Amino acid sequence: MDRDIEQLNSALNSVKILRSNVRRVFESVSNGLRADHGEEIKENRYILELQELLTTVNNNLRDVENSVANLTPPPGAFNLGNTTYLSQETTQDRQQLYGQLVNSYKWTDKIREYSALAGNILASNSFNKTYKTFGTTKRRKTQTSNHNVPPEIIENLITSIDRLFSDVTITASRPFVPNPVIQVALGRVLRAVIAFKGLMIEWVVVKALSEGSDVWTESRYKVFRKVTENCHAAMCHFHSPLMPDLAVRSFMHWFHSYITLFSAPCKRCSKHLHSNLPPTWRDLRSLEPYHEECK
Amino acid sequence: MGVTILAQFPVENKTGPQIIEVLSKRICALGATPQGQFLVDCETFTSVPALGHQRTVHVLHNSEQPATVFALLETGTKTIPLVTDGLFDLLIMKMISFYQSKKHTKTESKGPRFEIGDFSVKLGTVNITSNFKGILVEVEYKPCVVPAMCWDLIMEFMQGFLGSSGPTAPPAFLQNRMQEIYSPIDTIQQYLEHFTIFRKSTGPTMVMRPQQP
């Protein structure tokens, strides 16, 4: 028990040191070049200082990892043991103890719960990748970020989607350089205006082929307004920050099923119309048509 | 402009206004809102014998396209459609010495107009020189432009308020144009098709429906 507490203390200590050193790094970065860097070669000095600080942080991080690895996780929820009898204490000055005890018990319980959650999340989103490739000559696959992607990547994605479906024609315009707005004509059924933010779909409007192509006005037809609504739902459903290109691809696959918007009857009621609208919903997996009310 | 289907509604010993009232009630019960009136008219001109082989020109107007005049020239072997602006009416008046108006052929279909969802429904009373001839029901599904895609849907809608007298097959005119993009002249062609049938018949037309087996 004593050993455990000792280890816990040293782990907490190393976390404290790490935090203070990371803080120093940020301080130094925010201050930038200072007078004490001298006049000449001040940039070099500054870079050296930053390097030194970062090395310290790296070492501290290693210490934290080591000390955390030594800790034994508590086997289960804590047992209050004999201390529960404190509630039956009659002496005035000891009665307060029980309240404090309960509070701290709640607190540890919460910590347990949160750390379990955090542990799960961190385990599934491991950042080990970045460490492993440090200093190795193996070329790392460039991680696609969501917001800041070179225009060529988006361009490639759009052309690959264009090739995927023969009855889809895509025209792209770039009002703001990295964020294209594309018009997707789905056969002779409808046209969608899709605005991208990096590799993510930001906005979708569905209109009739004869209607204008701006992003802001919605269609004058009820059926396309409903489809727009459903596209927004699908856009959120397919959204995946880790694999943005896959999200766009799945969305386009789903969207392509609207080619039968007017011709396919509802899968459930096998009718074309329900409240004067054709089946405006497409199942997200099976892509089968359903009425809003039948899904 | 969407796909429009025109169908004749059987009269069966009722007067025109009675049928219009029944149909208006039905469509309003489905949730439609009245949106004014409409009018499609047709006047027919024939070429004078001096021009040789006789040709017929049908001049039609549709209140849906108020600035447009439609003309269909029948040469005997084929029909040439023409979509022009309003000045064509004046031009045809100037050509009175070559093309003369056929007597008692001024045909029109007019009546109330309804909107329901993305559909617009027009219940037209057909009169030839103010003689009642029959009822034409026009249904337009505005978002769609290819007849083949939305024919089943429109048929379901029409059967919904016309009952068994709703159409069961696409109009003859549309049958070989199902895959093409629909345009206002196609509506006019359908009207002319029906007007021609009305002109050939005498009195209010009794539509003979094939017996269901």
Side-chain angles (χ1 to χ4, degrees), chain B residues 14 76 114 140 181 200:
Chain B
K14 287 200 194 105
F114 299 88
E140 181 184 350
I181 291 204
K200 284 176 184 157

Side-chain angles (χ1 to χ4, degrees), chain A residues 5-235:
Chain A
I5 288 178
E6 207 175 282
Q7 278 176 352
L8 192 64
N9 263 331
S10 78
L12 284 175
N13 245 336
S14 47
V15 169
K16 208 161 71 185
I17 295 169
L18 174 66
R19 289 183 60 161
S20 88
N21 279 331
V22 167
R23 199 188 139 92
R24 275 177 62 200
V25 172
F26 283 118
E27 255 174 27
S28 150
V29 169
S30 67
N31 287 339
L33 294 173
R34 290 188 309 272
D36 57 322
H37 285 125
E39 274 303 303
E40 289 161 32
I41 56 160
K42 53 184 175 184
E43 281 91 357
N44 281 357
R45 275 196 190 173
Y46 176 67
I47 288 170
L48 276 178
E49 181 191 292
L50 206 59
Q51 254 168 5
E52 213 167 278
L53 286 172
L54 285 173
T55 323
T56 332
V57 168
N58 225 353
N59 289 339
N60 292 150
L61 189 65
R62 203 174 302 134
D63 289 349
V64 171
E65 273 181 341
N66 284 338
S67 52
V68 168
N70 283 334
L71 291 176
T72 44
F78 289 108
N79 197 349
L80 282 179
N82 284 341
T83 46
T84 40
Y85 298 119
L86 267 176
S87 61
Q88 288 152 14
E89 179 66 57
T90 43
T91 336
Q92 193 89 52
D93 52 336
R94 288 198 200 153
Q95 271 177 356
Q96 289 182 346
L97 267 179
Y98 184 69
Q100 287 175 2
L101 189 71
V102 166
N103 275 342
S104 61
Y105 178 75
K106 276 185 186 161
W107 197 78
T108 42
D109 207 40
K110 259 185 198 163
I111 287 205
R112 215 187 123 68
E113 196 185 319
Y114 289 163
S115 55
L117 282 177
N120 276 340
I121 292 169
L122 289 178
S124 60
N125 299 300
S126 153
F127 31 63
N128 276 348
K129 275 182 216 160
T130 39
Y131 292 137
K132 274 180 191 160
T133 47
F134 245 98
T136 58
T137 46
K138 208 172 79 181
R139 271 190 64 193
R140 193 158 56 103
K141 184 177 170 276
T142 42
Q143 185 72 32
T144 40
S145 106
N146 309 330
H147 301 278
N148 193 14
V149 266
E152 305 85 61
I153 291 187
I154 310 178
E155 201 65 54
N156 287 343
L157 180 72
I158 292 171
T159 29
S160 71
I161 293 169
D162 204 0
R163 273 190 216 129
L164 201 59
F165 307 106
S166 55
D167 38 12
V168 171
T169 34
I170 296 182
T171 41
S173 62
R174 297 176 172 279
F176 311 108
V177 175
N179 304 324
V181 176
I182 62 170
Q183 288 176 34
V184 185
L186 196 56
R188 291 179 293 179
V189 180
L190 50 82
R191 172 166 53 192
V193 185
I194 301 177
F196 280 87
K197 172 83 187 161
L199 269 181
M200 291 185 298
I201 297 177
E202 172 117 317
W203 190 250
V204 185
V205 187
V206 176
K207 295 178 171 206
L209 284 173
S210 54
E211 288 182 286
S213 59
D214 73 310
V215 194
W216 307 114
T217 47
E218 54 178 10
S219 173
R220 77 184 103 120
Y221 302 115
K222 286 200 175 67
V223 51
F224 294 130
R225 290 208 289 267
K226 187 56 88 181
V227 173
T228 305
E229 221 170 78
N230 289 336
C231 279
H232 290 172
M235 171 178 99

Side-chain angles (χ1 to χ4, degrees), chain A residues 188-189 208-210 220-224 259 261-264 270-279, chain B residues 1-2 30 116-119 141-146 148-150 152-154 156-157 178-181:
Chain A
R188 291 179 293 179
V189 180
L209 284 173
S210 54
R220 77 184 103 120
Y221 302 115
K222 286 200 175 67
V223 51
F224 294 130
I259 195 92
L261 176 63
F262 299 118
S263 49
S270 22
K271 291 262 184 294
H272 282 281
L273 293 168
H274 193 294
S275 40
N276 301 310
L277 287 173
Chain B
M1 182 65 213
L30 288 173
I116 169 166
D118 287 326
F119 292 91
Y141 187 59
K142 291 180 280 179
C144 187
V145 287
V146 181
M149 287 198 286
C150 61
D152 286 333
L153 183 146
I154 295 183
E156 192 181 302
F157 177 79
M178 291 297 272
Q179 291 296 343
E180 281 161 38
I181 291 204

Side-chain angles (χ1 to χ4, degrees), chain A residues 222 225 276, chain B residues 23-38 64 111-123 138 140 142 157 161:
Chain A
K222 286 200 175 67
R225 290 208 289 267
N276 301 310
Chain B
L23 289 180
S24 302
K25 269 188 189 155
R26 280 194 207 165
I27 193 82
C28 286
L30 288 173
T33 46
Q35 295 275 328
Q37 303 281 319
F38 84 102
E64 285 299 294
R113 186 175 178 280
F114 299 88
E115 298 260 323
I116 169 166
D118 287 326
F119 292 91
S120 84
V121 177
K122 294 168 206 165
L123 307 173
E138 183 195 317
E140 181 184 350
K142 291 180 280 179
F157 177 79
F161 81 102

Side-chain angles (χ1 to χ4, degrees), chain B residues 122-201:
Chain B
K122 294 168 206 165
L123 307 173
T125 314
V126 181
N127 287 318
I128 298 183
T129 53
S130 65
N131 292 325
F132 172 65
K133 283 288 182 178
I135 300 289
L136 280 179
V137 180
E138 183 195 317
V139 170
E140 181 184 350
Y141 187 59
K142 291 180 280 179
C144 187
V145 287
V146 181
M149 287 198 286
C150 61
W151 161 250
D152 286 333
L153 183 146
I154 295 183
M155 188 175 71
E156 192 181 302
F157 177 79
M158 289 180 92
Q159 283 172 353
F161 81 102
L162 298 177
S164 56
S165 17
T168 47
F173 169 75
L174 275 184
Q175 255 159 20
N176 46 11
R177 287 180 178 77
M178 291 297 272
Q179 291 296 343
E180 281 161 38
I181 291 204
Y182 196 89
S183 70
I185 189 77
D186 298 329
T187 310
I188 292 299
Q189 300 248 27
Q190 287 187 58
Y191 266 104
L192 184 65
E193 207 171 53
H194 282 278
F195 286 167
T196 318
I197 298 170
F198 280 125
R199 279 173 187 170
K200 284 176 184 157
S201 71

